[in-house]
Amino acid sequence: MTQTTHTSTPPGKRMLSEQVYAHLRDAIMRGDYAPGDALKPQDLAKEQGVSLAVVREALVRVVGEGLADRLPNRGFAVPAFSDRRWQEIAEARRTIEPVVLRMSVERGDLDWETRVRAAHHRLVRTPPYVPEEGAHYSGAWSEAHRVFHRTLLEGCGNPVLLETFDRMWTASELARRWSAHRNPDRDGAAEHRRLEEAALARDADTAAEVLAQHLTMTAAVLTGRTHHESAEDI
């Protein structure tokens, strides 16, 4: 019997690539790069003290998460600000997530209810801003926010749908962070509270409607529109 030989990335290179990937992802999310800024492999390799191959591997991962673009004959760049881009992301989330939330409310068990309550409590008790992280939402709050939204959907019991949520969430994370600069007075806490209340009350219709409005407002403030415009307008 002939044994097929598989090649794999050496552990040392894989570890370096992971480090460069984490550095790039954090830098983009912190706003160290402006929308449209180039991500030059040569500069990053010199800055991080690694090879071009390691940097390119990390950049491909960042592109896969929607946090960078690979441009033909122009290398890599942070996504440029584009109303259309974020409208498409918002449309995808508004189409899919309320449906998954409805399934979650209908299928979730007592353990799901407990986790939703805990995730909301953690979100409420985590400061959205900390001085050392500047004008962007804090890393701790961003993670608590992600966990709350994902926990709401986990009652659906469908891992494929949850993987779809994970991809959309990462792709929209830059847009959500940028929206914080457009409307710092938005009462996100009240929106999240209404989501928790509707979900735990097993009111699938209200939960789905509140989530759709929540997602619409994020897209609307990012593109400079008022909260009174309908979802169809964006």
Side-chain angles (χ1 to χ4, degrees):
M1 179 176 178
T2 302
Q3 186 175 16
T4 303
T5 301
H6 297 280
T7 59
S8 61
T9 304
K13 181 182 176 183
R14 187 164 57 246
M15 184 170 66
L16 286 173
S17 177
E18 182 69 31
Q19 291 172 354
V20 175
Y21 158 75
H23 165 78
L24 269 174
R25 192 182 195 282
D26 290 346
I28 293 170
M29 295 309 306
R30 282 195 308 268
D32 293 353
Y33 297 97
D37 275 0
L39 298 170
K40 300 178 181 178
Q42 294 88 346
D43 292 349
L44 289 166
K46 184 177 180 180
E47 174 190 323
Q48 296 297 306
V50 297
S51 69
L52 277 174
V54 167
V55 168
R56 289 185 181 280
E57 186 174 313
L59 281 166
V60 168
R61 286 188 63 187
V62 175
V63 169
E65 289 196 341
L67 296 178
D69 290 332
R70 189 167 194 169
L71 310 175
N73 303 317
R74 292 172 54 196
F76 300 87
V78 175
F81 180 85
S82 164
D83 282 2
R84 180 175 180 81
R85 181 190 187 97
W86 305 126
Q87 288 166 20
E88 289 172 347
I89 292 172
E91 180 181 52
R93 292 190 64 189
R94 283 198 308 267
T95 300
I96 296 171
E97 290 182 37
V99 174
V100 181
L101 179 56
R102 181 183 297 277
M103 294 168 59
S104 195
V105 169
E106 293 171 349
R107 298 177 180 178
D109 57 14
L110 180 59
D111 179 64
W112 169 75
E113 290 185 7
T114 302
R115 289 186 287 111
V116 167
R117 192 174 297 279
H120 182 255
H121 181 72
R122 178 186 176 196
L123 179 61
V124 169
R125 298 298 295 270
T126 303
Y129 300 99
V130 293
E132 58 268 27
E133 295 192 38
H136 290 289
Y137 287 121
S138 71
W141 188 90
S142 295
E143 176 60 10
H145 186 224
R146 183 194 69 81
V147 169
F148 172 66
H149 275 271
R150 195 183 198 280
T151 303
L152 280 171
L153 305 185
E154 286 174 356
C156 76
N158 186 320
V160 176
L161 288 172
L162 293 175
E163 289 169 6
T164 301
F165 164 82
D166 290 338
R167 290 195 297 271
M168 292 191 301
W169 181 272
T170 301
S172 67
E173 187 70 355
L174 270 180
R176 188 193 57 74
R177 287 203 171 197
W178 286 340
S179 76
H181 296 284
R182 297 296 186 92
N183 185 16
D185 298 323
R186 178 182 175 188
D187 192 356
E191 296 173 37
H192 293 134
R193 184 175 62 253
R194 288 195 294 272
L195 272 171
E196 183 212 22
E197 290 172 349
L200 295 184
R202 300 291 180 159
D203 187 342
D205 289 339
T206 298
E209 180 182 354
V210 170
L211 180 56
Q213 292 172 350
H214 180 68
L215 298 173
T216 295
M217 290 176 72
T218 296
V221 295
L222 180 67
T223 54
R225 292 170 172 82
T226 66
H227 294 172
H228 301 293
E229 292 181 81
S230 67
E232 289 75 17
D233 291 330
I234 67 168

